[in-house]
Amino acid sequence: MSQITTVAAALISLVGTALPSHKRLQNPYHLEDNPEPLLKQGWGIRVDEGLNTKRQISQPYFLARTFSVVLTREALAVASDPATRETAMLGLLEDLHALISTTFTDMTLGGSGFDFRYDSDGGYQEVFSEEKPYFYIEAKFVVEYSQSVSGG
């Protein structure tokens, strides 16, 4: 097993711990393909770009891998009810805050990396599933880790 498997498992555990009342999405890449009960208050992880940090020119090699953690909330109201929509949107920010706060308790991601941090997010977005609106926010987290060429 390579180090990326350990990193991914540690990230899944961290998000599940930070957001215990949320359900894990089946498909974080295509939110509209998820069942509505998961989108009401869900999370998922997308694997994004990796960067060779060139800390060493021989093995092990060092990578900074970006993961997007997608958080979803049901948009409980129509556009004509801004207060209720705002409540759902603020709930997403509170979810994000809980997740970011958890990263500060373990900046090595369970020892699987040596630099784990929140990087940025894309702000509120909206997706429709079966004509129902859901808000989501995609937060970028970066973990740097070393990987032996031989695998483990």
Side-chain angles (χ1 to χ4, degrees):
M1 176 171 54
S2 68
Q3 191 61 21
I4 188 61
T5 301
T6 304
V7 166
L11 182 58
I12 290 166
S13 176
L14 181 131
V15 176
T17 300
L19 303 169
S21 62
H22 291 58
K23 293 184 168 86
R24 189 168 174 195
L25 300 171
Q26 294 172 353
N27 186 347
Y29 295 92
H30 300 282
L31 296 178
E32 65 279 358
D33 293 343
N34 288 278
E36 287 187 51
L38 300 182
L39 288 171
K40 284 184 178 184
Q41 195 170 358
W43 64 271
I45 297 174
R46 297 177 183 169
V47 179
D48 293 332
E49 66 276 358
L51 174 68
N52 180 351
T53 61
K54 301 177 184 169
R55 289 184 184 269
Q56 255 175 237
I57 56 172
S58 60
Q59 65 167 311
Y61 61 93
F62 290 80
L63 286 172
R65 171 69 58 194
T66 301
F67 293 90
S68 291
V69 177
V70 181
L71 306 173
T72 63
R73 284 273 181 148
E74 183 177 22
L76 299 168
V78 294
S80 61
D81 184 3
T84 304
R85 287 177 61 86
E86 207 170 77
T87 299
M89 295 166 101
L90 291 172
L92 270 178
L93 286 181
E94 291 297 334
D95 297 343
L96 180 59
H97 172 70
L99 186 56
I100 292 169
S101 295
T102 302
T103 67
F104 284 104
T105 64
D106 184 4
M107 297 182 82
T108 66
L109 197 56
S112 63
F114 55 87
D115 182 17
F116 174 58
R117 65 190 180 281
Y118 165 77
D119 187 54
S120 64
D121 65 71
Y124 294 120
Q125 299 180 59
E126 197 168 13
V127 66
F128 288 84
S129 176
E130 299 181 24
E131 299 187 27
K132 284 182 72 177
Y134 295 87
F135 295 124
Y136 72 96
I137 195 164
E138 185 177 330
K140 304 278 187 179
F141 290 84
V142 178
V143 61
E144 190 170 352
Y145 62 97
S146 64
Q147 176 67 60
S148 169
V149 173
S150 62

